[in-house]
C-alpha cells in the first residue's frame, strides 16, 4: 500500500465528490488512463475507484465517488465521514481497461463512469487524435466534471441529459464511426449492454462496475497446490478458491470479490482454470474470488 493523505474533498456534481490524495513519502506509482486503485478506508472497507486526474502528476491521485443510495458502506463513509487530512492507504494502480492506440476514438460515459473515460479523452486530445465524448446522465447537475469537460473540450463533448432528451442513439453513432475508430464505454450495466449490441465487438472496449449475470455449470470440489509453500488446499464446491486459501493460511488482497477489480490475481503454474471473471484473465492467471478449476487440481504460484 502507498501512503497518502486526503488533500482536498470537492463536490463535482449532485451526490458526487472528488478526492485528491497526496503522497506522503515521495512520488506515487505511475499510471495510465483506464487504471484504478483500491482505497483502504478507515472503516475497514476496501473499495476500487478509477483514477481521473493527470498521470503526469506523480504527487497526487484524484478519484471521484458517488454517494450510492444502497451503499455497502464505502461511498457512505466517504461522503459522511471522510475529512481533509485523513491518512489513506492506496494500492498500486491496476489497468484492465487500457487505451489502445487508434486513428480516432468515440468515448461513451454514463454517470460516474466518466472517471475512467476522462483521462482517456485528455490523452487522446493531447496526442492530436480525433476524439469525441458522449456523456450521459439523468441531468447535467448529476454529471461529475461536466463543467470541466465543457470548458476544456468544447464541442468535442456532447452532454445528454436523459430527463430532457432521452438516451442517445447508439446505432446512429455506430453507423457514423470513422474507419478504424475504437469505442470506449464505461457506465451502468444498461448502457454497456446497449453498447455491446450496437458496436462491433472488435471495436468496443468496455469496463463494468458489476459482473454480468451468467450461468455456469454447478461448481465442483478441487484441490489447489501452493507451489512455494508446499501446501495443498482442498476447495469445496460451496466455497470460493479465495476463501479456501484464506482459511488455509494464505490470505490474498481482495476488493470486489465479484471478478471485476483484479486485486486477487494469482499465477497458475499447472492445471486449467475455469474463468468466471468479467475482466478477461490473462494467460496463466486466475481471479480466485470467482474462478475455479476445470479439472481436479490447480498448481498456484503461492
Amino acid at each position: 500500500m502507498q501512503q497518502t493523505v486526503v488533500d482536498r474533498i470537492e463536490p463535482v456534481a449532485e451526490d458526487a465528490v472528488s478526492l485528491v490524495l497526496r503522497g506522503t513519502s515521495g512520488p506515487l506509482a505511475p499510471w495510465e488512463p483506464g487504471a484504478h486503485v483500491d482505497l483502504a478506508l478507515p472503516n475497514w472497507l476496501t473499495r476500487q475507484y478509477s483514477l481521473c486526474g493527470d498521470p503526469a502528476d506523480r504527487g497526487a491521485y484524484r478519484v471521484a465517488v458517488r454517494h450510492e443510495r444502497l451503499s455497502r458502506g464505502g461511498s457512505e463513509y466517504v461522503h459522511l465521514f471522510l475529512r481533509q487530512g485523513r491518512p489513506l492507504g492506496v494500492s498500486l494502480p491496476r489497468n484492465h481497461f487500457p487505451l489502445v492506440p487508434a486513428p480516432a476514438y468515440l468515448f461513451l460515459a454514463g454517470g460516474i463512469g466518466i472517471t475512467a473515460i476522462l483521462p482517456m479523452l485528455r490523452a487522446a486530445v493531447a496526442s492530436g487524435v480525433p476524439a469525441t465524448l458522449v456523456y450521459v446522465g439523468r441531468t447535467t447537475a448529476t454529471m461529475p466534471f461536466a463543467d470541466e469537460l465543457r470548458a476544456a473540450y468544447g464541442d468535442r463533448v456532447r452532454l445528454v441529459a436523459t430527463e430532457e432528451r432521452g438516451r442517445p442513439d447508439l446505432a446512429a453513432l455506430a453507423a457514423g464511426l470513422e474507419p478504424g475508430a475504437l469505442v470506449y464505454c464505461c457506465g451502468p450495466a444498461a448502457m454497456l449492454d446497449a453498447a455491446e449490441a450496437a458496436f462491433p465487438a472488435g471495436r468496443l472496449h468496455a469496463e463494468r462496475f458489476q459482473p454480468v449475470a451468467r450461468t455456469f455449470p454447478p461448481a465442483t470440489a478441487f484441490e489447489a497446490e501452493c507451489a512455494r509453500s508446499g501446501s495443498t488446499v482442498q476447495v469445496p464446491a460451496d466455497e470460493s478458491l479465495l476463501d479456501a486459501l484464506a482459511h488455509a493460511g494464505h490470505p490474498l488482497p481482495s476488493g470486489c470479490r465479484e471478478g471485476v477489480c483484479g486485486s486477487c490475481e494469482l499465477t497458475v503454474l499447472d492445471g486449467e482454470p475455469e474463468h468466471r471473471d468479467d475482466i478477461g484473465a490473462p494467460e496463466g492467471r486466475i481471479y480466485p474470488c470467482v474462478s475455479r478449476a476445470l479439472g481436479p487440481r490447480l498448481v498456484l504460484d503461492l
Side-chain angles (χ1 to χ4, degrees), residues 97 107-109 113-121 133 184-186:
F97 191 43
F107 297 109
L108 300 174
I114 190 61
T115 54
I117 297 298
L118 196 157
M120 293 186 176
L121 176 64
L133 166 65
Y184 278 78
C185 181
C186 187

Side-chain angles (χ1 to χ4, degrees), residues 75-278:
S75 71
E76 182 177 51
Y77 183 89
V78 169
H79 278 260
L80 300 183
F81 303 109
L82 191 63
R83 296 292 183 266
Q84 185 178 7
R86 180 80 196 212
L88 282 185
V90 181
S91 72
L92 296 176
R94 296 188 301 277
N95 198 345
H96 303 292
F97 191 43
L99 185 64
V100 177
Y105 297 101
L106 169 63
F107 297 109
L108 300 174
I112 200 67
I114 190 61
T115 54
I117 297 298
L118 196 157
M120 293 186 176
L121 176 64
R122 182 186 297 117
V125 171
S127 68
V129 175
T132 56
L133 166 65
V134 177
Y135 183 13
V136 183
R138 183 170 52 83
T139 66
T140 54
T142 66
M143 300 163 70
F145 306 115
D147 291 339
E148 177 182 325
L149 285 161
R150 282 186 291 201
Y153 303 111
D155 58 7
R156 293 178 186 266
V157 175
R158 175 186 165 197
L159 301 181
V160 181
T162 58
E163 284 193 354
E164 303 169 8
R165 302 172 56 187
R167 301 189 182 281
D169 185 345
L170 298 188
L173 291 173
L177 276 182
E178 296 183 34
L182 294 181
V183 182
Y184 278 78
C185 181
C186 187
M191 166 180 268
L192 294 171
D193 292 343
E196 288 175 353
F199 296 99
R203 300 178 70 177
L204 175 66
H205 297 256
E207 182 173 57
R208 291 183 177 269
F209 299 138
Q210 296 177 329
V212 178
R214 293 194 296 265
T215 301
F216 293 99
T220 58
F222 63 99
E223 66 179 29
E225 179 183 332
C226 302
R228 280 186 278 137
S229 69
S231 64
T232 298
V233 177
Q234 302 301 319
V235 185
D238 61 353
E239 186 173 38
S240 71
L241 174 56
L242 180 72
D243 287 340
L245 290 170
H247 293 155
H250 303 288
L252 296 170
S254 60
C256 70
R257 302 181 72 90
E258 295 181 316
V260 295
C261 80
S263 61
C264 61
E265 181 179 296
L266 275 176
T267 297
V268 177
L269 302 176
D270 193 24
E272 187 175 359
E274 180 190 34
H275 296 297
R276 299 187 175 196
D277 63 90
D278 282 87

